[in-house]
Amino acid sequence: MSTRKPIIAANWKMNQTPTESKAFLEKFLPKFPESTPVDIVIAPAFLSMPMAAAQIVPSKSVDLSAQNMSAEPSGAFTGEVSAAMLKEVGTKYVILGHSERRSIFGEDDATINAKVKATLDNGFQPILCIGESLEEREGGKLEEVLRSQINGSLADVTAEQMANVVIAYEPVWAIGTGVTASPEQAQEAHAFVRGLLKDLFNEEVAAATRIQYGGSVKPGNAGELIALEDIDGFLVGGASLDPDSFGEIVQAGIAHVS
Ligand code: 13P
């Protein structure tokens, strides 16, 4: 078994109002009163972060994440959220380059790279999302897409900084569709991404970097996926909105390492 500590994160996307976030955490946090052998992360919407932080930051088991961050420190950027704002609420992680940011909001690898560097400069741990569309996979472009996303998004990041970077492999065709990548497809893609990290950095970085899987993760498939050699946790959308189902996914991670 690898020495990488699994990291299981809830990406709530544009769900859970401040009040709903509070109700979720009132049910979820008592399930994990002490620190666990997996890192548990919750990424609420920006407006729900202060309410959620009041419960998460004092907890021993869960860390707070943002779903995005501006690469700019401050200024005339209407609708954006800065590193200083995220620091003040106690954010540890920042999800960047999610496929919804890429496809709906037009973020490219250069934009995402600027954000990755800004999060690292500010002491956050980016959760960098990559993944191919169905068209790209069926067109034989899987490796080319993953290589250009990794090389583009991590340009100018140092091997030392990689200790604070988490990668999330999320095949776009598996997000919110109920279709999960098969264990073979997931393991193959994860091993390929680890190889890209070796090419871009070195063997140590490749061996140490945590690579999450995302795309229709549920309590019913989490155990099988976490057992795969190169899968180091999950980035969970739909199934993270219910405290019981997210709790079961975390339990699958704990059972794997225990
Ligand atoms: P689902 O778990 O709803 O498929 O979403 C995955 C995802 O996009 C997490 O970031």
Side-chain angles (χ1 to χ4, degrees), residues 8 21 37 56-57 61 116 163 186 208 232 235 243:
I8 300 185
S21 303
I56 289 175
V57 172
S61 55
V116 167
D232 308 312
L235 187 54

Side-chain angles (χ1 to χ4, degrees), residues 10-234:
N11 176 10
W12 283 352
K13 308 191 180 184
M14 198 173 72
N15 297 294
Q16 313 274 44
T17 65
T19 313
E20 288 164 350
S21 303
K22 183 166 184 281
F24 176 105
L25 290 164
E26 278 167 2
K27 281 197 178 164
F28 182 78
L29 291 176
K31 294 178 193 288
F32 304 101
E34 299 300 329
S35 70
T36 68
V38 308
D39 287 333
I40 309 171
V41 179
I42 294 186
F46 285 133
L47 198 62
S48 297
M49 285 183 81
M51 181 79 101
Q55 291 155 285
I56 289 175
V57 172
S59 84
K60 294 198 180 103
S61 55
V62 180
D63 289 309
L64 186 66
S65 176
Q67 297 177 15
N68 191 14
M69 190 190 98
S70 174
E72 301 294 339
S74 65
F77 301 100
T78 301
E80 291 292 289
V81 170
S82 73
M85 295 167 190
L86 295 182
K87 249 179 231 175
E88 220 171 280
V89 292
T91 308
K92 180 168 180 184
Y93 298 90
V94 181
I95 297 171
L96 292 174
H98 192 278
S99 71
E100 288 145 22
R101 300 296 319 167
R102 292 175 187 265
S103 66
I104 305 171
F105 301 101
E107 291 190 14
D108 59 13
D109 286 319
T111 308
I112 296 159
N113 178 238
K115 293 183 178 195
V116 167
K117 289 187 280 189
T119 54
L120 291 168
D121 288 346
N122 282 283
F124 299 121
Q125 301 193 26
I127 297 177
L128 169 65
C129 304
I130 56 168
E132 81 291 357
S133 67
L134 188 59
E135 199 182 5
E136 288 163 341
R137 176 174 276 265
E138 289 181 343
K141 296 213 166 84
L142 171 65
E143 297 191 349
E144 182 187 325
V145 169
L146 296 181
R147 182 178 291 110
S148 79
Q149 289 176 339
I150 284 285
N151 292 355
S153 305
L154 293 175
D156 306 321
V157 172
T158 67
E160 290 69 37
Q161 287 177 312
M162 282 303 292
N164 289 320
V165 176
V166 176
I167 309 276
Y169 169 65
E170 299 203 303
V172 178
W173 46 272
I175 295 176
T177 57
V179 179
T180 317
S182 70
E184 294 73 27
Q185 288 170 323
Q187 169 55 30
E188 196 184 357
H190 280 236
F192 180 74
V193 172
R194 211 173 286 291
L196 293 173
L197 296 175
K198 183 173 167 232
D199 295 345
L200 191 57
F201 300 100
N202 56 46
E203 194 125 14
E204 291 70 42
V205 167
T209 303
R210 298 186 291 180
I211 307 177
Q212 298 174 307
Y213 169 80
S216 298
V217 175
K218 307 179 247 316
N221 58 25
E224 180 179 39
L225 290 165
I226 197 74
L228 298 167
E229 189 182 341
D230 287 297
I231 293 190
D232 308 312
F234 302 118

